[in-house]
Amino acid sequence: MAISIKTPEEIEKMRVAGRLAAEVLEMIEQHVKPGVTTGELDRICHDYITHEQHAVSACLGYHGFPKSVCISINEVVCHGIPSDERQLKDGDIINIDVTVIKDEYHGDTSKMFIVGKPTIQGERLCRVTQESLYLSLRLIKPGIRLRELGRAIQQYVEANDFSVVREYCGHGIGKGFHEEPQVLHYDADDGGVVLQAGMTFTVEPMVNAGDYRIRTMKDGWTVKTKDRSLSAQYEHTIVVTDNGCEILTLRKDDTLPAVLVNEG
């Protein structure tokens, strides 16, 4: 498994791309409200990335994906295709997944938005999913096994009576959209990967309110929970530092510091 260790110059480029991706999510929040279509949200994101940031959406055209961001609503786990047919309504939970390319390097991040008045289950699912991401990021430092992240996420999620999707995972990132290693969000064989300073990857747990099993729709992209329960996801791109990690896609609404120091 060839995992690239990024140079300081590469990490600086990834900081720029990560910051841009985070800014897209900050920008779009005011537009997420009942009545708007996911197609309109996609157009706003595309215009912002293209004309304001002078960057490129990595999703648009990726293996044929037709839109600039993925927008996944309620029981959609991931890869939801924005559409002018679907208007948001009160209580919807939606994930917007943004990947920006700037100067050849990628910044990849996603977060949940709750439309209008939240449901009790929807709000709790989003909170637990974000907390599972945060607790895994606090563990990161050189010398730990990669699987420790997945173990911590799975234990926390299942202790809250939710489940972790198995078929999708985080990934290395840099000049490539998807690089090694694969970052599983449950306790499983990691191929012996030990974290080193300079590794860059995403952590992006997908958490279901019901069973962890999923199904892919006929469009070849949209993934839904098999039991039609709600699903949530949060994602950050990070770089492993000498004593922790730096979150390259940190948003203003995050409650974590950009640099996490792990001295334990």
Side-chain angles (χ1 to χ4, degrees):
M1 183 185 298
I3 301 173
S4 70
I5 303 299
K6 304 301 191 294
T7 66
E9 292 76 19
E10 289 178 304
I11 292 168
E12 182 54 38
K13 288 185 177 181
M14 292 191 67
R15 282 192 187 101
V16 173
R19 185 171 66 249
L20 293 178
E23 287 173 356
V24 176
L25 292 179
E26 292 171 347
M27 175 278 301
I28 199 63
E29 182 156 22
Q30 64 180 312
H31 300 283
V32 178
K33 53 191 176 184
V36 71
T37 67
T38 55
E40 178 63 15
L41 294 178
D42 174 76
R43 283 190 290 274
I44 294 169
C45 289
H46 176 80
D47 288 347
Y48 187 78
I49 293 168
T50 303
H51 302 301
E52 297 293 327
Q53 298 182 333
H54 305 290
V56 175
S57 163
C59 295
L60 184 60
Y62 182 75
H63 293 307
F65 191 77
K67 299 293 182 178
S68 291
V69 296
C70 298
I71 302 182
S72 303
I73 307 175
N74 295 337
E75 77 277 9
V76 178
V77 176
C78 61
H79 303 159
I81 301 173
S83 165
D84 289 328
E85 307 301 316
R86 178 60 161 93
Q87 289 185 326
L88 299 185
K89 60 182 186 294
D90 215 39
D92 281 342
I93 63 171
I94 76 166
N95 176 273
I96 301 181
D97 192 342
V98 177
T99 308
V100 168
I101 304 171
K102 185 72 171 181
D103 293 333
E104 300 186 278
Y105 284 82
H106 292 70
D108 189 2
T109 187
S110 80
K111 68 165 284 189
M112 299 301 297
F113 298 84
I114 298 176
V115 183
K117 184 179 179 181
T119 65
I120 293 173
Q121 185 186 57
E123 187 172 48
R124 181 170 176 267
L125 177 64
C126 292
R127 176 178 54 79
V128 169
T129 304
Q130 185 175 45
E131 288 170 353
S132 77
L133 169 62
Y134 283 174
L135 71 87
S136 70
L137 298 184
R138 290 189 183 98
L139 296 174
I140 294 174
K141 66 176 180 177
I144 75 161
R145 284 282 296 270
L146 180 62
R147 74 182 299 170
E148 290 188 34
L149 307 184
R151 180 186 297 126
I153 290 169
Q154 182 179 13
Q155 288 177 348
Y156 186 76
V157 166
E158 292 180 355
N160 282 278
D161 298 319
F162 295 138
S163 64
V164 179
V165 171
R166 307 292 201 268
E167 287 86 348
Y168 293 91
C169 60
H171 51 88
I173 188 169
K175 272 193 173 181
F177 193 166
H178 296 95
E179 302 178 351
E180 295 292 345
Q182 292 191 334
V183 182
L184 303 181
H185 303 116
Y186 60 100
D187 190 16
D189 181 25
D190 59 7
V193 175
V194 176
L195 299 188
Q196 300 177 50
M199 287 183 175
T200 53
F201 54 84
T202 70
V203 185
E204 46 183 298
M206 302 175 190
V207 176
N208 295 347
D211 190 86
Y212 67 83
R213 287 174 291 186
I214 61 173
R215 57 200 173 103
T216 303
M217 301 297 100
K218 291 180 181 179
D219 61 25
W221 285 104
T222 307
V223 177
K224 294 185 177 182
T225 55
K226 194 167 185 179
D227 61 6
R228 301 184 181 181
S229 63
L230 294 177
S231 187
Q233 180 191 21
Y234 282 83
E235 174 183 15
H236 274 311
T237 297
I238 66 96
V239 57
V240 181
T241 62
D242 289 336
N243 55 1
C245 75
E246 179 183 345
I247 304 170
L248 301 176
T249 49
L250 196 78
R251 300 181 309 277
K252 293 175 183 176
D253 63 283
D254 274 306
T255 58
L256 285 176
V259 179
L260 295 175
V261 177
N262 185 338
E263 298 176 339

